[in-house]
Amino acid sequence: MGEIRDFKSGRSGEPPRESMPRRLAAIVAGDIAGYSRLMELDEEGTHARVKRIERDLIEPSITEHHGKLVKTTGDGFIAIFDSPVEAVRCGIVIQQNMVGRNASQPRHHWIEFRIGVNLGDVIIEADDGQVYISGGIYEQIKHKLVCGYESLGDRKVKNITDPVRVYRVLPDPAAFNKTRKKRENILIFLLSLTLLVIAGGVLWYLLLQPKGKMGNQASVPPSAETPGASSSPALAAKPSAPPPQPAPSVAPGPQQAAPAQPSSAASRIAPATPLASAAREPEMNPIRGGSFTMGSSDDATEKPTHQVTIKPFAIGRYPVSVHEWNECAAAKACAFVATGKDDAPITNISWTDAKQYVAWLAGATRKAYRLPSEAEWEYAARGGTQTKYWWGDQPQSGMANCKNCNDAATAAEQPIKVGSFKPNPFGLYDMGGAVDQWVEDCWHKNYQGAPSDGSAWAEGECTSHVIRSGSWKNDARYVRSSNRDSYDTNVRYPTHGFRIALSP
């Protein structure tokens, strides 16, 4: 019998913490665009290159993304994955590697795979080397991968009676933004052209008026003016002037005096910048400094226990909520607009997403907002205690939003609102349960060599980061103050959220 592995952490040698996820039969089908043409150009060379690509790229990529290669053909392959996320990631890896492999070849010798991903036996037809997914796959992965998607509308595909909604995957988010920016630039050009035509018409009308008539019109009360004759030359020229620049992203600090404005212009100036007006600061609790024993003997990743000294800091009273996240999204500083109840904690967040939020909040408020370190998080979660949970060593009903430890429905797609259960001795809510919470630290498999000063344990660009707390989908073992786990830095997961910290 194979070893038992935990679904989220991949730990071996222990029973799974929760039931295995439902199997998602995601099928990846790939074939080479223009294969017949390539064989006509160089049959032997093309055949050798294709076999080398299958051996060195296709098969290893499928294995690394936990897929199973079902079949290879002369010009393609079919693979099955349990996870649609891994299926799409595999397709992206193959496409990105092919770019490098083709770089040394003349354009007419390029080998480009057309890759389709769907649930079931649908094969998306395409004309070039791209990754295409169906609407069903898109709904599964749209907030779980840091990439762009371009809707191609409904398409007719093999073996399916009704048309299927098809999306093109853009692995580089900048490519998606470039496409969207191009469309925006076209709209801006058309709008500017329209304004120039209108401004030119107004100027032409005014310049052709006799000077005496313009003077007479200036003295007529507004109620007696004829349509279109109310504009003075100064106002008429206004539409052709450049559009106003957006306000600075950071409001003046409390010690900065705003420059004086003429009274006539003051009424046209917004009272605050967009970021300043949108940045409602989450409620924070100050935490006194102190020392505590970090870790436990309950799991290999939580060893060895060690003394850590924490400096004073502040931490969010609650996890960041949907409403707070959407203020960042409205300011165009966070990646997507979240759905769900405003007072529920934000979910489906990657570590990179969380860093975007704290960077926006720090810039908008001029305060040192950040993610807490792993040591700070555990110190705050314990609330001055050294027991497994802040209330004691045994799970208690009604103390946290987790599986089998309260009467709330754990099958819900979204956790209940923040602050629904009792706070710990430091006055903090949901420090265990509700949502998994990202911290600053890179993932390390244990505490060997961990810092003792409470700082984040990070080095360079790490591929995975630490999550704490457990979620409403996990059982009480995850809610322990010392429990720790990890996840990919740039991948979103439905139970992942975060809370923020603030340096003095």
Side-chain angles (χ1 to χ4, degrees):
M1 180 180 294
E3 63 179 0
I4 299 174
R5 302 187 70 85
D6 174 42
F7 166 53
K8 286 184 64 179
S9 65
R11 301 171 190 167
S12 60
E14 64 178 298
R17 291 186 172 182
E18 58 185 19
S19 60
M20 291 295 290
R22 63 187 179 93
R23 294 178 62 86
L24 296 171
I27 297 178
V28 174
D31 70 329
I32 298 173
Y35 181 71
S36 298
R37 176 185 56 79
L38 290 169
M39 292 294 284
E40 289 176 1
L41 289 172
D42 180 8
E43 181 175 351
E44 184 176 349
T46 298
H47 180 75
R49 288 173 62 201
V50 170
K51 289 300 180 184
R52 188 162 56 248
I53 290 168
E54 288 178 356
R55 182 185 67 248
D56 298 342
L57 174 60
I58 304 296
E59 294 178 8
S61 296
I62 291 171
T63 301
E64 288 171 7
H65 292 85
H66 314 296
K68 179 181 179 182
L69 181 63
V70 176
K71 180 182 180 182
T72 58
T73 61
D75 65 339
F77 64 93
I78 298 176
I80 295 179
F81 294 77
D82 288 340
S83 165
V85 173
E86 293 298 327
V88 175
R89 292 177 71 182
C90 180
I92 292 172
V93 166
I94 291 172
Q95 294 289 24
Q96 291 178 335
N97 274 272
M98 287 308 302
V99 171
R101 289 171 179 266
N102 285 327
S104 61
Q105 299 287 335
R107 178 67 180 83
H108 58 281
H109 281 283
W110 284 8
I111 293 178
E112 295 181 301
F113 281 92
R114 302 177 294 189
I115 297 178
V117 185
N118 209 331
L119 297 176
D121 60 354
V122 176
I123 300 176
I124 304 299
E125 295 290 347
D127 297 324
D128 53 5
Q130 301 285 343
V131 178
Y132 295 87
I133 61 176
S134 70
I137 289 288
Y138 171 75
E139 292 300 325
Q140 292 280 347
I141 71 167
K142 60 184 177 182
H143 291 323
K144 296 181 183 179
L145 291 175
V146 181
C147 58
Y149 306 94
E150 181 181 4
S151 175
L152 302 180
D154 293 338
R155 297 288 182 89
K156 182 70 177 175
V157 295
K158 291 181 180 179
N159 304 325
I160 298 295
T161 302
D162 297 325
V164 174
R165 177 58 57 89
V166 177
Y167 293 82
R168 178 185 289 118
V169 178
L170 305 173
D172 180 7
F176 175 71
N177 291 333
K178 183 178 180 181
T179 300
R180 183 175 61 183
K181 190 67 177 176
K182 182 177 180 181
R183 295 171 180 167
E184 291 175 352
N185 287 340
I186 292 173
L187 291 175
I188 291 172
F189 172 76
L190 292 175
L191 179 60
S192 300
L193 184 62
T194 302
L195 290 174
L196 286 172
V197 170
I198 294 173
V202 172
L203 284 171
W204 175 83
Y205 176 82
L206 292 172
L207 291 174
L208 288 182
Q209 300 301 312
K211 293 183 178 179
K213 186 175 181 180
M214 290 181 65
N216 291 338
Q217 285 180 338
S219 63
V220 176
S223 60
E225 292 178 355
T226 57
S230 61
S231 298
S232 69
L235 292 178
K238 187 176 179 181
S240 63
Q245 296 298 314
S249 60
V250 180
Q255 302 302 321
Q256 286 183 288
Q261 301 288 341
S263 59
S264 60
S267 60
R268 298 197 300 268
I269 298 175
T273 65
L275 277 180
S277 61
R280 185 182 67 174
E281 298 178 59
E283 296 181 58
M284 307 294 291
N285 280 21
I287 304 297
R288 63 182 182 273
S291 298
F292 78 111
T293 301
M294 185 175 181
S296 77
S297 299
D298 293 336
D299 190 278
T301 66
E302 300 164 17
K303 299 177 182 178
T305 58
H306 56 291
Q307 286 295 117
V308 178
T309 300
I310 301 293
K311 298 176 182 178
F313 71 106
I315 193 168
R317 186 172 300 170
Y318 314 99
V320 172
S321 68
V322 169
H323 179 72
E324 289 164 343
W325 170 267
N326 281 342
E327 288 176 343
C328 176
K332 309 300 183 185
C334 286
F336 64 92
V337 176
T339 59
K341 297 180 179 179
D342 281 352
D343 56 6
I346 182 66
T347 57
N348 212 17
I349 295 295
S350 70
W351 183 86
T352 303
D353 293 329
K355 291 287 284 185
Q356 287 179 347
Y357 177 89
V358 293
W360 165 77
L361 188 62
T365 61
R366 292 193 168 184
K367 295 182 180 179
Y369 284 108
R370 54 182 175 81
L371 291 179
S373 71
E374 185 175 12
E376 287 174 334
W377 194 97
E378 184 170 328
Y379 179 74
R382 289 185 178 279
T385 70
Q386 283 297 143
T387 50
K388 290 186 177 182
Y389 309 91
W390 60 260
W391 60 81
D393 284 323
Q394 299 299 322
Q396 291 185 20
S397 178
M399 300 299 287
N401 185 15
C402 64
K403 186 177 179 181
N404 300 327
C405 56
N406 67 77
D407 296 331
T410 57
E413 291 302 314
Q414 186 181 34
I416 58 179
K417 70 177 184 178
V418 298
S420 295
F421 297 87
K422 294 179 180 179
N424 74 357
F426 284 174
L428 303 173
Y429 294 82
D430 302 320
M431 295 294 284
V435 287
D436 296 298
Q437 297 170 30
W438 289 107
V439 295
E440 183 68 27
D441 303 55
C442 294
W443 170 252
H444 297 83
K445 63 182 181 180
N446 56 43
Y447 287 135
Q448 291 287 352
S452 60
D453 61 356
S455 61
W457 194 5
E459 61 280 324
E461 297 290 332
C462 43
T463 58
S464 59
H465 281 78
V466 179
I467 51 174
R468 304 297 298 253
S469 173
S471 77
W472 83 103
K473 295 282 190 179
N474 301 125
D475 62 39
R477 284 173 289 179
Y478 279 86
V479 180
R480 293 178 301 107
S481 299
S482 60
N483 175 70
R484 61 195 299 262
D485 218 320
S486 69
Y487 210 72
D488 292 351
T489 298
N490 292 321
V491 180
R492 299 172 180 133
Y493 192 78
T495 64
H496 292 176
F498 67 106
R499 73 174 67 221
I500 59 174
L502 179 64
S503 298

